[in-house]
mmCIF file of all heavy atoms in Angstrom:
data_model
loop_
_atom_site.group_PDB
_atom_site.id
_atom_site.type_symbol
_atom_site.label_atom_id
_atom_site.label_comp_id
_atom_site.label_asym_id
_atom_site.label_seq_id
_atom_site.Cartn_x
_atom_site.Cartn_y
_atom_site.Cartn_z
ATOM 1 N N ARG A 125 1.099 -55.861 -0.053
ATOM 2 C CA ARG A 125 0.171 -56.965 0.236
ATOM 3 C C ARG A 125 -1.241 -56.613 -0.241
ATOM 4 O O ARG A 125 -1.950 -57.461 -0.789
ATOM 5 C CB ARG A 125 0.179 -57.241 1.738
ATOM 6 C CG ARG A 125 -0.762 -58.330 2.201
ATOM 7 C CD ARG A 125 -0.358 -59.683 1.678
ATOM 8 N NE ARG A 125 -1.229 -60.732 2.176
ATOM 9 C CZ ARG A 125 -1.398 -61.906 1.594
ATOM 10 N NH1 ARG A 125 -0.723 -62.193 0.477
ATOM 11 N NH2 ARG A 125 -2.197 -62.808 2.104
ATOM 12 N N CYS A 126 -1.639 -55.352 -0.054
ATOM 13 C CA CYS A 126 -2.964 -54.917 -0.522
ATOM 14 C C CYS A 126 -3.070 -55.012 -2.037
ATOM 15 O O CYS A 126 -4.097 -55.454 -2.579
ATOM 16 C CB CYS A 126 -3.238 -53.483 -0.065
ATOM 17 S SG CYS A 126 -3.564 -53.315 1.697
ATOM 18 N N ARG A 127 -2.006 -54.592 -2.737
ATOM 19 C CA ARG A 127 -2.033 -54.671 -4.205
ATOM 20 C C ARG A 127 -2.088 -56.119 -4.674
ATOM 21 O O ARG A 127 -2.833 -56.451 -5.615
ATOM 22 C CB ARG A 127 -0.803 -53.976 -4.783
ATOM 23 C CG ARG A 127 -0.867 -52.450 -4.746
ATOM 24 C CD ARG A 127 0.239 -51.829 -5.594
ATOM 25 N NE ARG A 127 1.558 -52.095 -5.044
ATOM 26 C CZ ARG A 127 2.174 -51.330 -4.149
ATOM 27 N NH1 ARG A 127 1.588 -50.236 -3.711
ATOM 28 N NH2 ARG A 127 3.372 -51.646 -3.704
ATOM 29 N N GLU A 128 -1.325 -56.987 -4.034
ATOM 30 C CA GLU A 128 -1.273 -58.394 -4.455
ATOM 31 C C GLU A 128 -2.610 -59.096 -4.257
ATOM 32 O O GLU A 128 -2.973 -59.984 -5.038
ATOM 33 C CB GLU A 128 -0.187 -59.126 -3.663
ATOM 34 C CG GLU A 128 1.227 -58.717 -4.038
ATOM 35 C CD GLU A 128 2.274 -59.298 -3.100
ATOM 36 O OE1 GLU A 128 1.894 -59.902 -2.063
ATOM 37 O OE2 GLU A 128 3.471 -59.147 -3.396
ATOM 38 N N THR A 129 -3.333 -58.704 -3.220
ATOM 39 C CA THR A 129 -4.606 -59.374 -2.914
ATOM 40 C C THR A 129 -5.824 -58.572 -3.376
ATOM 41 O O THR A 129 -6.955 -58.995 -3.144
ATOM 42 C CB THR A 129 -4.709 -59.627 -1.389
ATOM 43 O OG1 THR A 129 -4.573 -58.382 -0.692
ATOM 44 C CG2 THR A 129 -3.616 -60.584 -0.935
ATOM 45 N N GLY A 130 -5.581 -57.419 -4.002
ATOM 46 C CA GLY A 130 -6.693 -56.601 -4.500
ATOM 47 C C GLY A 130 -7.508 -55.949 -3.406
ATOM 48 O O GLY A 130 -8.687 -55.630 -3.599
ATOM 49 N N VAL A 131 -6.887 -55.711 -2.251
ATOM 50 C CA VAL A 131 -7.608 -55.130 -1.118
ATOM 51 C C VAL A 131 -7.565 -53.602 -1.208
ATOM 52 O O VAL A 131 -6.521 -53.007 -1.470
ATOM 53 C CB VAL A 131 -6.994 -55.582 0.221
ATOM 54 C CG1 VAL A 131 -7.589 -54.806 1.389
ATOM 55 C CG2 VAL A 131 -7.216 -57.073 0.412
ATOM 56 N N SER A 132 -8.706 -52.987 -0.981
ATOM 57 C CA SER A 132 -8.778 -51.526 -0.838
ATOM 58 C C SER A 132 -10.035 -51.227 -0.041
ATOM 59 O O SER A 132 -10.817 -52.128 0.270
ATOM 60 C CB SER A 132 -8.822 -50.832 -2.202
ATOM 61 O OG SER A 132 -9.981 -51.210 -2.914
ATOM 62 N N GLY A 133 -10.231 -49.975 0.271
ATOM 63 C CA GLY A 133 -11.452 -49.603 0.966
ATOM 64 C C GLY A 133 -12.666 -49.849 0.087
ATOM 65 O O GLY A 133 -12.654 -49.568 -1.114
ATOM 66 N N LYS A 134 -13.710 -50.387 0.680
ATOM 67 C CA LYS A 134 -14.940 -50.604 -0.080
ATOM 68 C C LYS A 134 -15.549 -49.260 -0.470
ATOM 69 O O LYS A 134 -15.401 -48.264 0.233
ATOM 70 C CB LYS A 134 -15.949 -51.403 0.748
ATOM 71 C CG LYS A 134 -15.456 -52.757 1.224
ATOM 72 C CD LYS A 134 -16.568 -53.494 1.957
ATOM 73 C CE LYS A 134 -16.062 -54.789 2.569
ATOM 74 N NZ LYS A 134 -15.286 -54.559 3.806
ATOM 75 N N THR A 135 -16.225 -49.234 -1.595
ATOM 76 C CA THR A 135 -16.856 -48.003 -2.052
ATOM 77 C C THR A 135 -17.802 -47.470 -0.983
ATOM 78 O O THR A 135 -18.700 -48.176 -0.526
ATOM 79 C CB THR A 135 -17.634 -48.251 -3.361
ATOM 80 O OG1 THR A 135 -16.723 -48.776 -4.337
ATOM 81 C CG2 THR A 135 -18.243 -46.956 -3.874
ATOM 82 N N GLY A 136 -17.570 -46.247 -0.570
ATOM 83 C CA GLY A 136 -18.447 -45.630 0.422
ATOM 84 C C GLY A 136 -18.241 -46.105 1.838
ATOM 85 O O GLY A 136 -18.993 -45.716 2.733
ATOM 86 N N GLN A 137 -17.187 -46.920 2.072
ATOM 87 C CA GLN A 137 -16.985 -47.500 3.401
ATOM 88 C C GLN A 137 -16.841 -46.425 4.479
ATOM 89 O O GLN A 137 -17.382 -46.569 5.573
ATOM 90 C CB GLN A 137 -15.750 -48.398 3.383
ATOM 91 C CG GLN A 137 -15.419 -49.054 4.723
ATOM 92 C CD GLN A 137 -14.241 -50.006 4.614
ATOM 93 O OE1 GLN A 137 -13.986 -50.597 3.565
ATOM 94 N NE2 GLN A 137 -13.498 -50.170 5.704
ATOM 95 N N THR A 138 -16.124 -45.365 4.162
ATOM 96 C CA THR A 138 -15.914 -44.309 5.156
ATOM 97 C C THR A 138 -16.629 -43.009 4.778
ATOM 98 O O THR A 138 -16.376 -41.970 5.384
ATOM 99 C CB THR A 138 -14.404 -44.021 5.329
ATOM 100 O OG1 THR A 138 -13.880 -43.542 4.086
ATOM 101 C CG2 THR A 138 -13.650 -45.258 5.761
ATOM 102 N N ALA A 139 -17.529 -43.075 3.797
ATOM 103 C CA ALA A 139 -18.156 -41.844 3.286
ATOM 104 C C ALA A 139 -18.933 -41.110 4.373
ATOM 105 O O ALA A 139 -18.838 -39.876 4.507
ATOM 106 C CB ALA A 139 -19.065 -42.182 2.110
ATOM 107 N N GLU A 140 -19.713 -41.845 5.150
ATOM 108 C CA GLU A 140 -20.512 -41.209 6.198
ATOM 109 C C GLU A 140 -19.604 -40.571 7.261
ATOM 110 O O GLU A 140 -19.870 -39.462 7.744
ATOM 111 C CB GLU A 140 -21.421 -42.252 6.852
ATOM 112 C CG GLU A 140 -22.373 -41.670 7.887
ATOM 113 C CD GLU A 140 -23.309 -42.728 8.472
ATOM 114 O OE1 GLU A 140 -23.500 -43.783 7.833
ATOM 115 O OE2 GLU A 140 -23.829 -42.490 9.575
ATOM 116 N N TRP A 141 -18.527 -41.262 7.575
ATOM 117 C CA TRP A 141 -17.561 -40.773 8.548
ATOM 118 C C TRP A 141 -16.870 -39.504 8.044
ATOM 119 O O TRP A 141 -16.759 -38.506 8.759
ATOM 120 C CB TRP A 141 -16.556 -41.884 8.799
ATOM 121 C CG TRP A 141 -15.371 -41.606 9.679
ATOM 122 C CD1 TRP A 141 -14.065 -41.832 9.370
ATOM 123 C CD2 TRP A 141 -15.356 -41.128 11.030
ATOM 124 N NE1 TRP A 141 -13.240 -41.525 10.419
ATOM 125 C CE2 TRP A 141 -14.012 -41.084 11.456
ATOM 126 C CE3 TRP A 141 -16.353 -40.729 11.921
ATOM 127 C CZ2 TRP A 141 -13.629 -40.655 12.724
ATOM 128 C CZ3 TRP A 141 -15.976 -40.295 13.193
ATOM 129 C CH2 TRP A 141 -14.632 -40.260 13.583
ATOM 130 N N LEU A 142 -16.453 -39.496 6.791
ATOM 131 C CA LEU A 142 -15.805 -38.320 6.218
ATOM 132 C C LEU A 142 -16.769 -37.142 6.132
ATOM 133 O O LEU A 142 -16.373 -35.986 6.336
ATOM 134 C CB LEU A 142 -15.235 -38.649 4.838
ATOM 135 C CG LEU A 142 -14.075 -39.658 4.819
ATOM 136 C CD1 LEU A 142 -13.687 -39.986 3.385
ATOM 137 C CD2 LEU A 142 -12.873 -39.121 5.585
ATOM 138 N N HIS A 143 -18.042 -37.438 5.839
ATOM 139 C CA HIS A 143 -19.050 -36.371 5.806
ATOM 140 C C HIS A 143 -19.214 -35.756 7.198
ATOM 141 O O HIS A 143 -19.336 -34.526 7.340
ATOM 142 C CB HIS A 143 -20.379 -36.932 5.316
ATOM 143 C CG HIS A 143 -21.488 -35.923 5.358
ATOM 144 N ND1 HIS A 143 -21.593 -34.875 4.459
ATOM 145 C CD2 HIS A 143 -22.550 -35.787 6.210
ATOM 146 C CE1 HIS A 143 -22.647 -34.143 4.746
ATOM 147 N NE2 HIS A 143 -23.255 -34.673 5.797
ATOM 148 N N ARG A 144 -19.183 -36.608 8.209
ATOM 149 C CA ARG A 144 -19.327 -36.097 9.577
ATOM 150 C C ARG A 144 -18.143 -35.221 9.955
ATOM 151 O O ARG A 144 -18.290 -34.158 10.576
ATOM 152 C CB ARG A 144 -19.447 -37.274 10.543
ATOM 153 C CG ARG A 144 -19.780 -36.855 11.969
ATOM 154 C CD ARG A 144 -20.087 -38.061 12.801
ATOM 155 N NE ARG A 144 -20.555 -37.676 14.124
ATOM 156 C CZ ARG A 144 -20.765 -38.531 15.109
ATOM 157 N NH1 ARG A 144 -20.569 -39.819 14.909
ATOM 158 N NH2 ARG A 144 -21.181 -38.122 16.283
ATOM 159 N N ILE A 145 -16.931 -35.637 9.567
ATOM 160 C CA ILE A 145 -15.743 -34.841 9.840
ATOM 161 C C ILE A 145 -15.791 -33.516 9.090
ATOM 162 O O ILE A 145 -15.437 -32.460 9.641
ATOM 163 C CB ILE A 145 -14.471 -35.644 9.483
ATOM 164 C CG1 ILE A 145 -14.281 -36.795 10.485
ATOM 165 C CG2 ILE A 145 -13.235 -34.748 9.463
ATOM 166 C CD1 ILE A 145 -13.178 -37.759 10.125
ATOM 167 N N ASP A 146 -16.252 -33.555 7.840
ATOM 168 C CA ASP A 146 -16.393 -32.306 7.077
ATOM 169 C C ASP A 146 -17.358 -31.351 7.764
ATOM 170 O O ASP A 146 -17.166 -30.128 7.745
ATOM 171 C CB ASP A 146 -16.869 -32.602 5.656
ATOM 172 C CG ASP A 146 -15.768 -33.173 4.782
ATOM 173 O OD1 ASP A 146 -14.581 -32.996 5.143
ATOM 174 O OD2 ASP A 146 -16.078 -33.796 3.749
ATOM 175 N N GLN A 147 -18.401 -31.895 8.376
ATOM 176 C CA GLN A 147 -19.344 -31.049 9.101
ATOM 177 C C GLN A 147 -18.672 -30.408 10.312
ATOM 178 O O GLN A 147 -18.865 -29.218 10.591
ATOM 179 C CB GLN A 147 -20.555 -31.879 9.551
ATOM 180 C CG GLN A 147 -21.686 -31.046 10.136
ATOM 181 C CD GLN A 147 -22.320 -30.128 9.099
ATOM 182 O OE1 GLN A 147 -22.753 -30.568 8.053
ATOM 183 N NE2 GLN A 147 -22.346 -28.837 9.398
ATOM 184 N N TRP A 148 -17.855 -31.191 11.011
ATOM 185 C CA TRP A 148 -17.098 -30.618 12.135
ATOM 186 C C TRP A 148 -16.163 -29.516 11.649
ATOM 187 O O TRP A 148 -15.982 -28.496 12.328
ATOM 188 C CB TRP A 148 -16.282 -31.708 12.839
ATOM 189 C CG TRP A 148 -17.077 -32.619 13.713
ATOM 190 C CD1 TRP A 148 -18.208 -32.316 14.420
ATOM 191 C CD2 TRP A 148 -16.803 -34.001 13.991
ATOM 192 N NE1 TRP A 148 -18.647 -33.419 15.115
ATOM 193 C CE2 TRP A 148 -17.806 -34.465 14.878
ATOM 194 C CE3 TRP A 148 -15.807 -34.885 13.580
ATOM 195 C CZ2 TRP A 148 -17.832 -35.773 15.348
ATOM 196 C CZ3 TRP A 148 -15.834 -36.193 14.048
ATOM 197 C CH2 TRP A 148 -16.836 -36.629 14.929
ATOM 198 N N LYS A 149 -15.534 -29.727 10.488
ATOM 199 C CA LYS A 149 -14.644 -28.696 9.936
ATOM 200 C C LYS A 149 -15.406 -27.388 9.693
ATOM 201 O O LYS A 149 -14.879 -26.298 9.927
ATOM 202 C CB LYS A 149 -14.013 -29.177 8.633
ATOM 203 C CG LYS A 149 -12.958 -30.255 8.791
ATOM 204 C CD LYS A 149 -12.379 -30.637 7.433
ATOM 205 C CE LYS A 149 -11.314 -31.702 7.550
ATOM 206 N NZ LYS A 149 -10.734 -32.079 6.231
ATOM 207 N N GLN A 150 -16.633 -27.504 9.202
ATOM 208 C CA GLN A 150 -17.438 -26.308 8.952
ATOM 209 C C GLN A 150 -17.896 -25.666 10.257
ATOM 210 O O GLN A 150 -17.943 -24.440 10.380
ATOM 211 C CB GLN A 150 -18.652 -26.671 8.096
ATOM 212 C CG GLN A 150 -18.311 -27.097 6.676
ATOM 213 C CD GLN A 150 -19.552 -27.495 5.898
ATOM 214 O OE1 GLN A 150 -20.594 -26.823 5.975
ATOM 215 N NE2 GLN A 150 -19.465 -28.580 5.147
ATOM 216 N N ASP A 151 -18.248 -26.493 11.220
ATOM 217 C CA ASP A 151 -18.814 -25.978 12.464
ATOM 218 C C ASP A 151 -17.764 -25.421 13.414
ATOM 219 O O ASP A 151 -18.045 -24.508 14.193
ATOM 220 C CB ASP A 151 -19.599 -27.087 13.186
ATOM 221 C CG ASP A 151 -20.871 -27.468 12.443
ATOM 222 O OD1 ASP A 151 -21.354 -26.649 11.638
ATOM 223 O OD2 ASP A 151 -21.362 -28.584 12.668
ATOM 224 N N TYR A 152 -16.551 -25.996 13.384
ATOM 225 C CA TYR A 152 -15.516 -25.592 14.339
ATOM 226 C C TYR A 152 -14.207 -25.262 13.619
ATOM 227 O O TYR A 152 -13.173 -25.892 13.847
ATOM 228 C CB TYR A 152 -15.274 -26.706 15.363
ATOM 229 C CG TYR A 152 -16.511 -27.113 16.120
ATOM 230 C CD1 TYR A 152 -17.114 -28.348 15.878
ATOM 231 C CD2 TYR A 152 -17.074 -26.268 17.072
ATOM 232 C CE1 TYR A 152 -18.253 -28.724 16.577
ATOM 233 C CE2 TYR A 152 -18.205 -26.642 17.769
ATOM 234 C CZ TYR A 152 -18.790 -27.873 17.521
ATOM 235 O OH TYR A 152 -19.911 -28.241 18.212
ATOM 236 N N PRO A 153 -14.199 -24.277 12.746
ATOM 237 C CA PRO A 153 -12.968 -23.945 12.024
ATOM 238 C C PRO A 153 -11.967 -23.229 12.918
ATOM 239 O O PRO A 153 -12.329 -22.675 13.955
ATOM 240 C CB PRO A 153 -13.466 -23.004 10.921
ATOM 241 C CG PRO A 153 -14.658 -22.327 11.543
ATOM 242 C CD PRO A 153 -15.316 -23.363 12.408
ATOM 243 N N LEU A 154 -10.722 -23.255 12.505
ATOM 244 C CA LEU A 154 -9.730 -22.389 13.145
ATOM 245 C C LEU A 154 -9.993 -20.954 12.708
ATOM 246 O O LEU A 154 -10.188 -20.687 11.528
ATOM 247 C CB LEU A 154 -8.313 -22.807 12.743
ATOM 248 C CG LEU A 154 -7.840 -24.169 13.256
ATOM 249 C CD1 LEU A 154 -6.511 -24.543 12.619
ATOM 250 C CD2 LEU A 154 -7.712 -24.164 14.780
ATOM 251 N N VAL A 155 -10.013 -20.036 13.653
ATOM 252 C CA VAL A 155 -10.438 -18.657 13.393
ATOM 253 C C VAL A 155 -9.253 -17.711 13.528
ATOM 254 O O VAL A 155 -8.452 -17.826 14.469
ATOM 255 C CB VAL A 155 -11.564 -18.252 14.368
ATOM 256 C CG1 VAL A 155 -11.911 -16.781 14.207
ATOM 257 C CG2 VAL A 155 -12.800 -19.114 14.133
ATOM 258 N N VAL A 156 -9.141 -16.776 12.587
ATOM 259 C CA VAL A 156 -8.139 -15.706 12.652
ATOM 260 C C VAL A 156 -8.849 -14.427 13.094
ATOM 261 O O VAL A 156 -9.586 -13.828 12.322
ATOM 262 C CB VAL A 156 -7.453 -15.483 11.294
ATOM 263 C CG1 VAL A 156 -6.459 -14.320 11.382
ATOM 264 C CG2 VAL A 156 -6.756 -16.759 10.831
ATOM 265 N N PRO A 157 -8.640 -13.999 14.348
ATOM 266 C CA PRO A 157 -9.303 -12.766 14.809
ATOM 267 C C PRO A 157 -8.719 -11.534 14.112
ATOM 268 O O PRO A 157 -7.532 -11.486 13.807
ATOM 269 C CB PRO A 157 -8.998 -12.735 16.315
ATOM 270 C CG PRO A 157 -8.454 -14.081 16.651
ATOM 271 C CD PRO A 157 -7.836 -14.620 15.406
ATOM 272 N N HIS A 158 -9.589 -10.553 13.875
ATOM 273 C CA HIS A 158 -9.164 -9.275 13.316
ATOM 274 C C HIS A 158 -9.656 -8.161 14.228
ATOM 275 O O HIS A 158 -10.833 -8.131 14.603
ATOM 276 C CB HIS A 158 -9.723 -9.085 11.898
ATOM 277 C CG HIS A 158 -9.081 -9.978 10.881
ATOM 278 N ND1 HIS A 158 -9.435 -11.307 10.733
ATOM 279 C CD2 HIS A 158 -8.101 -9.738 9.974
ATOM 280 C CE1 HIS A 158 -8.701 -11.842 9.764
ATOM 281 N NE2 HIS A 158 -7.887 -10.913 9.284
ATOM 282 N N TYR A 159 -8.738 -7.269 14.592
ATOM 283 C CA TYR A 159 -9.066 -6.137 15.449
ATOM 284 C C TYR A 159 -8.749 -4.843 14.694
ATOM 285 O O TYR A 159 -7.893 -4.828 13.797
ATOM 286 C CB TYR A 159 -8.272 -6.212 16.760
ATOM 287 C CG TYR A 159 -8.458 -7.531 17.492
ATOM 288 C CD1 TYR A 159 -7.422 -8.460 17.579
ATOM 289 C CD2 TYR A 159 -9.680 -7.861 18.074
ATOM 290 C CE1 TYR A 159 -7.591 -9.678 18.237
ATOM 291 C CE2 TYR A 159 -9.859 -9.074 18.740
ATOM 292 C CZ TYR A 159 -8.810 -9.974 18.813
ATOM 293 O OH TYR A 159 -8.988 -11.178 19.457
ATOM 294 N N PRO A 160 -9.415 -3.752 15.041
ATOM 295 C CA PRO A 160 -9.262 -2.520 14.241
ATOM 296 C C PRO A 160 -7.871 -1.901 14.305
ATOM 297 O O PRO A 160 -7.370 -1.401 13.293
ATOM 298 C CB PRO A 160 -10.330 -1.579 14.823
ATOM 299 C CG PRO A 160 -10.666 -2.138 16.170
ATOM 300 C CD PRO A 160 -10.464 -3.614 16.065
ATOM 301 N N ASP A 161 -7.219 -1.898 15.455
ATOM 302 C CA ASP A 161 -5.985 -1.131 15.607
ATOM 303 C C ASP A 161 -4.776 -1.954 16.034
ATOM 304 O O ASP A 161 -3.692 -1.402 16.238
ATOM 305 C CB ASP A 161 -6.197 -0.003 16.634
ATOM 306 C CG ASP A 161 -7.275 0.966 16.185
ATOM 307 O OD1 ASP A 161 -7.274 1.329 14.996
ATOM 308 O OD2 ASP A 161 -8.112 1.340 17.036
ATOM 309 N N ILE A 162 -4.949 -3.245 16.216
ATOM 310 C CA ILE A 162 -3.847 -4.076 16.705
ATOM 311 C C ILE A 162 -3.911 -5.427 16.003
ATOM 312 O O ILE A 162 -4.987 -5.923 15.656
ATOM 313 C CB ILE A 162 -3.913 -4.249 18.245
ATOM 314 C CG1 ILE A 162 -2.652 -4.952 18.781
ATOM 315 C CG2 ILE A 162 -5.170 -4.999 18.659
ATOM 316 C CD1 ILE A 162 -1.416 -4.127 18.757
ATOM 317 N N LEU A 163 -2.762 -6.020 15.780
ATOM 318 C CA LEU A 163 -2.684 -7.319 15.122
ATOM 319 C C LEU A 163 -2.982 -8.443 16.107
ATOM 320 O O LEU A 163 -2.633 -8.364 17.283
ATOM 321 C CB LEU A 163 -1.286 -7.534 14.549
ATOM 322 C CG LEU A 163 -0.966 -6.787 13.251
ATOM 323 C CD1 LEU A 163 0.541 -6.621 13.099
ATOM 324 C CD2 LEU A 163 -1.541 -7.535 12.055
ATOM 325 N N SER A 164 -3.608 -9.495 15.597
ATOM 326 C CA SER A 164 -3.692 -10.736 16.369
ATOM 327 C C SER A 164 -2.511 -11.615 15.970
ATOM 328 O O SER A 164 -2.001 -11.526 14.845
ATOM 329 C CB SER A 164 -5.005 -11.467 16.087
ATOM 330 O OG SER A 164 -5.009 -12.032 14.775
ATOM 331 N N PRO A 165 -2.041 -12.472 16.871
ATOM 332 C CA PRO A 165 -0.934 -13.372 16.519
ATOM 333 C C PRO A 165 -1.266 -14.257 15.320
ATOM 334 O O PRO A 165 -0.401 -14.531 14.484
ATOM 335 C CB PRO A 165 -0.739 -14.207 17.786
ATOM 336 C CG PRO A 165 -1.341 -13.404 18.886
ATOM 337 C CD PRO A 165 -2.470 -12.641 18.267
ATOM 338 N N GLN A 166 -2.531 -14.703 15.251
ATOM 339 C CA GLN A 166 -2.939 -15.571 14.154
ATOM 340 C C GLN A 166 -2.818 -14.872 12.806
ATOM 341 O O GLN A 166 -2.491 -15.503 11.788
ATOM 342 C CB GLN A 166 -4.378 -16.054 14.372
ATOM 343 C CG GLN A 166 -4.576 -16.892 15.630
ATOM 344 C CD GLN A 166 -5.038 -16.068 16.821
ATOM 345 O OE1 GLN A 166 -4.564 -14.939 17.030
ATOM 346 N NE2 GLN A 166 -5.968 -16.600 17.602
ATOM 347 N N GLN A 167 -3.076 -13.552 12.775
ATOM 348 C CA GLN A 167 -2.912 -12.798 11.525
ATOM 349 C C GLN A 167 -1.475 -12.844 11.037
ATOM 350 O O GLN A 167 -1.215 -12.988 9.841
ATOM 351 C CB GLN A 167 -3.316 -11.331 11.737
ATOM 352 C CG GLN A 167 -4.791 -11.035 11.668
ATOM 353 C CD GLN A 167 -5.044 -9.556 11.934
ATOM 354 O OE1 GLN A 167 -5.048 -9.106 13.076
ATOM 355 N NE2 GLN A 167 -5.243 -8.793 10.868
ATOM 356 N N VAL A 168 -0.546 -12.699 11.971
ATOM 357 C CA VAL A 168 0.876 -12.685 11.607
ATOM 358 C C VAL A 168 1.269 -14.008 10.957
ATOM 359 O O VAL A 168 1.890 -14.043 9.887
ATOM 360 C CB VAL A 168 1.741 -12.417 12.852
ATOM 361 C CG1 VAL A 168 3.225 -12.413 12.489
ATOM 362 C CG2 VAL A 168 1.341 -11.112 13.522
ATOM 363 N N ILE A 169 0.885 -15.103 11.591
ATOM 364 C CA ILE A 169 1.282 -16.422 11.096
ATOM 365 C C ILE A 169 0.551 -16.756 9.804
ATOM 366 O O ILE A 169 1.137 -17.324 8.866
ATOM 367 C CB ILE A 169 1.045 -17.478 12.191
ATOM 368 C CG1 ILE A 169 2.022 -17.206 13.348
ATOM 369 C CG2 ILE A 169 1.227 -18.888 11.652
ATOM 370 C CD1 ILE A 169 1.630 -17.783 14.662
ATOM 371 N N SER A 170 -0.707 -16.379 9.698
ATOM 372 C CA SER A 170 -1.462 -16.623 8.463
ATOM 373 C C SER A 170 -0.852 -15.871 7.287
ATOM 374 O O SER A 170 -0.779 -16.389 6.171
ATOM 375 C CB SER A 170 -2.924 -16.217 8.646
ATOM 376 O OG SER A 170 -3.555 -17.040 9.598
ATOM 377 N N GLN A 171 -0.393 -14.636 7.527
ATOM 378 C CA GLN A 171 0.231 -13.867 6.453
ATOM 379 C C GLN A 171 1.580 -14.466 6.055
ATOM 380 O O GLN A 171 1.935 -14.500 4.868
ATOM 381 C CB GLN A 171 0.399 -12.412 6.889
ATOM 382 C CG GLN A 171 0.890 -11.486 5.802
ATOM 383 C CD GLN A 171 -0.001 -11.450 4.569
ATOM 384 O OE1 GLN A 171 0.493 -11.487 3.441
ATOM 385 N NE2 GLN A 171 -1.308 -11.383 4.769
ATOM 386 N N LEU A 172 2.330 -14.969 7.024
ATOM 387 C CA LEU A 172 3.565 -15.685 6.702
ATOM 388 C C LEU A 172 3.272 -16.914 5.849
ATOM 389 O O LEU A 172 3.975 -17.184 4.859
ATOM 390 C CB LEU A 172 4.282 -16.115 7.984
ATOM 391 C CG LEU A 172 5.061 -15.048 8.746
ATOM 392 C CD1 LEU A 172 5.482 -15.573 10.112
ATOM 393 C CD2 LEU A 172 6.291 -14.598 7.951
#
């Protein structure tokens, strides 16, 4: 239906929203802890 009627997102319609989400991605990333003598669970799964 979108193709038949030429409907799509307007240019820049969600740009500000996506920029805000990208900022959240930078500010609150998923973190893989590293310890000197013992593995973290996240390290194991990340290596897999």
Side-chain angles (χ1 to χ4, degrees):
R125 178 66 177 158
C126 288
R127 285 192 294 271
E128 290 171 352
T129 57
V131 171
S132 62
K134 302 184 186 77
T135 303
Q137 179 176 331
T138 63
E140 184 177 339
W141 175 232
L142 294 175
H143 175 74
R144 187 171 186 187
I145 290 172
D146 285 341
Q147 188 66 55
W148 284 329
K149 288 181 179 180
Q150 293 178 43
D151 291 339
Y152 303 109
L154 293 172
V155 174
V156 178
H158 289 80
Y159 305 110
D161 299 317
I162 188 72
L163 283 157
S164 71
Q166 298 94 320
Q167 278 178 281
V168 179
I169 293 159
S170 295
Q171 187 58 224
L172 283 169

